[in-house]
Amino acid sequence: MKRCLFLVVCLLLLAACSKPEEKNVEDSFPLHMEVQKFEAVNQDGEPFTFKNVKGEVWVADFLFTNCDTVCSPMTANMATLQRKLADAGVDAKLVSFSIDPDHDQPKRLKEYAKGVEADFSNWNLLTGYKQPFIESFANKSFMAAAAKLEDSNQFVHSTSFYLVNKDGVVLQKYEGASNPPYNEIINDIKTLEK
């Protein structure tokens, strides 16, 4: 009996002295979706692939330049996020995927982003893929809708900003069209940069 009691006390002491398990900070985020590989061209017509953001924290969204509803405020909000990131000294990439690649050629994307004074040093607007690809990519990688409306030049798409970690995993989404939580996004990026 004394021997059993001694073993129990020893086990309790070992448990108390051992280091608590370190939790992965990314486990606290609600989403864990792997971004599929992609090949595109940016607003300068330069190739841009998944490799360009591998090892970087990035924020993604979906837009199209002919949009007559949410894309203009979303793009303006992404530009605001870009300025706030710079003011906070936070390094992150911004990636906007066009869901109308036939219409949104690089030159058009560049002119569109210039309208919100985009800084292209860390913000790339992408096109150069086929329509079926971007619809599937948005759905599989971001669980986001991206589809052309029948008999229209408009598209249904997500209005979220998506936080992607250095391994290409989507961890969080935020409102992108109205009142984005800029401070939350910046703090989440800082958390991932640690």
Side-chain angles (χ1 to χ4, degrees):
M1 183 70 166
K2 287 182 180 179
R3 189 174 200 170
C4 286
L5 185 59
F6 176 75
L7 284 173
V8 169
V9 170
C10 286
L11 288 173
L12 288 172
L13 285 172
L14 282 173
C17 293
S18 64
K19 288 171 64 176
E21 279 187 42
E22 286 187 33
K23 288 190 176 184
N24 183 347
V25 71
E26 294 181 9
D27 291 341
S28 64
F29 288 97
L31 304 176
H32 292 88
M33 300 176 293
E34 191 171 331
V35 176
Q36 294 179 307
K37 292 183 178 165
F38 61 87
E39 293 183 4
V41 294
N42 69 8
Q43 69 282 344
D44 294 316
E46 297 171 350
F48 193 99
T49 71
F50 181 77
K51 289 178 182 177
N52 290 90
V53 285
K54 183 79 172 157
E56 305 276 355
V57 176
W58 49 293
V59 177
D61 72 343
F62 296 89
L63 57 76
F64 64 107
T65 62
N66 204 32
C67 178
D68 57 17
T69 55
V70 295
C71 296
S72 289
M74 281 179 62
T75 305
N77 291 340
M78 188 67 92
T80 299
L81 175 60
Q82 185 179 47
R83 288 187 286 277
K84 287 182 178 288
L85 286 167
D87 290 345
V90 176
D91 184 29
K93 303 290 184 201
L94 306 177
V95 180
S96 295
F97 294 92
S98 171
I99 58 168
D100 186 6
D102 293 336
H103 183 259
D104 289 342
Q105 296 301 307
K107 185 177 179 182
R108 184 166 183 85
L109 286 172
K110 190 161 193 172
E111 287 303 313
Y112 184 75
K114 279 182 178 178
V116 293
E117 299 178 4
D119 175 356
F120 298 112
S121 66
N122 69 331
W123 185 359
N124 286 273
L125 292 89
L126 305 183
T127 187
Y129 32 73
K130 299 291 184 193
Q131 187 67 42
F133 167 79
I134 193 60
E135 291 181 10
S136 172
F137 174 79
N139 184 263
K140 289 179 181 175
S141 297
F142 295 87
M143 301 251 323
K148 191 173 197 305
L149 293 172
E150 197 170 322
D151 299 323
S152 171
N153 66 352
Q154 297 297 294
F155 292 77
V156 173
H157 65 93
S158 166
T159 60
S160 296
F161 291 165
Y162 296 89
L163 177 63
V164 185
N165 73 6
K166 294 178 180 183
D167 296 320
V169 177
V170 180
L171 297 177
Q172 180 67 288
K173 70 178 183 175
Y174 315 89
E175 171 57 41
S178 63
N179 299 315
Y182 298 114
N183 290 336
E184 181 183 348
I185 297 170
I186 291 167
N187 287 334
D188 285 349
I189 293 170
K190 286 178 178 178
T191 298
L192 296 179
E193 287 291 338
K194 289 180 182 175

